Amino acid sequence: MVNLELPITVPDNMPHLGTVKVWAHLSQVVLTLLTICTVAPVIATEIRFYSGSQAGPNWTLFVAIFTSWIPVLLVYFPWAYDRKNKFKRIGKFCLKPRTNLIFTGFGSLMWAAAGIAMAVHANNPDHCNIDSERAADDGDYASAWSAQCNCAKAAAGFAWITCLMWIATLICSVIIFWNEKQLIQKNLREHQQNKQEALAQQEQGEAMMENEAHPEDNVKYQVPSQQNTYYHPSPTPPPHAITEPYPVDYRTNTVTPPQQYLYPSNSATPSQYPQYHAETTPMPMAQRF
């Protein structure tokens, strides 16, 4: 069995979408041939007895002939490019989702118009009623006119079925085109994210290299560690230190403090700070140490 799967990107939940699209195009070819085979006798009979044909069958025949090459273009050339490595330029062109979207949309519109025109023609009673005068003059008229009426109805049915096949391929092309756009957007986002991460790593690496090359520049930016500072509980600053020792009387084993004491400030008085007033009472040697 011939593998008709084409190298196109399809959604993950529709793995056989490409194969379905190929078979739909092949169905279009078969239905187009059937439409031509049924509409051609209608045109021939009208020309035979009325020296001209109606617009509906003429338009349907034109659409069938004009669009018959599109399925071949969208199936054979991509297949030959993928399997035989032939027709590279036209094969790549026909594999593009945008190309398929344009051609299938165009074919759907053309066959929808052909189906409407042929249905209107087949349902017109004047195109099926037998003219008694012509039937009397020509013995083949009655059978030929009845046959062309049946062919017109069949042609209308084949035209609508062909239109449905074109719409099916259009839906497949829209899904494939949308999936391609989503993949492109995803790749762009990933590329942008990878680019930003690479720039961040590059900047970090440059900063580390600069720090290793000039380590002394970071010394002045170092924050000193905080140390616990304990303050004197008194609302006033502590008194100035006394550098000279107290006079000691070794006979009585006592220490006599000086009569004058240094206060916290020059403007302070003993009455404001009684806790720092000089002691005149001799202090025993045991309390001194």
Side-chain angles (χ1 to χ4, degrees):
M1 184 176 180
V2 180
N3 185 10
L4 298 177
E5 187 175 358
L6 298 179
I8 56 178
T9 304
V10 296
D12 296 336
N13 55 351
M14 300 179 182
H16 303 292
L17 183 63
T19 305
V20 172
K21 183 175 179 293
V22 171
W23 281 107
H25 282 304
L26 296 179
S27 301
Q28 292 169 3
V29 175
V30 176
L31 291 170
T32 300
L33 294 175
L34 291 174
T35 304
I36 293 174
C37 293
T38 54
V39 77
V42 176
I43 297 174
T45 303
E46 291 178 348
I47 293 175
R48 175 184 176 184
F49 293 104
Y50 292 97
S51 300
S53 58
Q54 298 296 321
N58 292 338
W59 171 253
T60 304
L61 182 62
F62 168 77
V63 171
I65 296 175
F66 184 75
T67 60
S68 61
W69 58 273
I70 297 179
V72 178
L73 179 71
L74 299 179
V75 173
Y76 174 73
F77 289 103
W79 180 84
Y81 167 69
D82 182 56
R83 300 293 192 276
K84 307 297 183 179
N85 199 21
K86 299 179 180 179
F87 310 107
K88 295 182 179 180
R89 182 172 298 180
I90 191 172
K92 292 180 180 179
F93 173 76
C94 295
L95 278 174
K96 293 180 179 180
R98 189 185 300 273
T99 303
N100 286 261
L101 184 63
I102 294 173
F103 279 116
T104 54
F106 174 75
S108 300
L109 291 176
M110 296 287 286
W111 275 100
I116 294 173
M118 201 63 207
V120 171
H121 176 84
N123 292 322
N124 190 350
D126 296 337
H127 299 153
C128 291
N129 295 334
I130 298 175
D131 189 357
S132 58
E133 295 181 359
R134 288 185 180 274
D137 296 337
D138 191 344
D140 296 334
Y141 171 78
S143 60
W145 197 252
S146 299
Q148 72 83 27
C149 180
N150 295 330
C151 288
K153 294 178 180 179
F158 286 131
W160 277 114
I161 296 174
T162 308
C163 179
L164 293 178
M165 289 294 100
W166 278 98
I167 293 175
T169 55
L170 175 62
I171 295 173
C172 294
S173 299
V174 170
I175 295 174
I176 294 172
F177 180 77
W178 176 259
N179 182 69
E180 183 191 42
K181 289 299 181 182
Q182 294 297 319
L183 291 177
I184 292 175
Q185 294 296 330
K186 182 181 179 180
N187 293 335
L188 288 176
R189 288 193 296 267
E190 292 179 354
H191 176 71
Q192 188 68 21
Q193 184 178 0
N194 294 335
K195 184 178 179 181
Q196 293 178 358
E197 292 178 356
L199 290 175
Q201 293 179 359
Q202 183 179 0
E203 292 177 357
Q204 184 178 2
E206 292 178 355
M208 294 178 61
M209 292 178 62
E210 185 177 356
N211 294 337
E212 292 177 358
H214 305 283
E216 65 278 359
D217 295 342
N218 298 327
V219 177
K220 58 182 179 181
Y221 297 107
Q222 295 180 356
V223 180
S225 59
Q226 296 182 356
Q227 299 179 354
N228 295 331
T229 304
Y230 299 94
Y231 298 92
H232 198 275
S234 175
T236 58
H240 300 287
I242 299 176
T243 58
E244 295 182 0
Y246 293 161
V248 180
D249 189 355
Y250 295 99
R251 293 173 300 176
T252 60
N253 195 22
T254 59
V255 178
T256 303
Q259 295 297 328
Q260 299 295 329
Y261 194 79
L262 298 177
Y263 291 97
S265 62
N266 296 331
S267 61
T269 60
S271 61
Q272 295 177 348
Y273 303 92
Q275 65 271 27
Y276 298 114
H277 194 274
E279 296 287 345
T280 56
T281 306
M283 181 181 299
M285 178 61 70
Q287 295 182 3
R288 174 65 178 84
F289 299 96

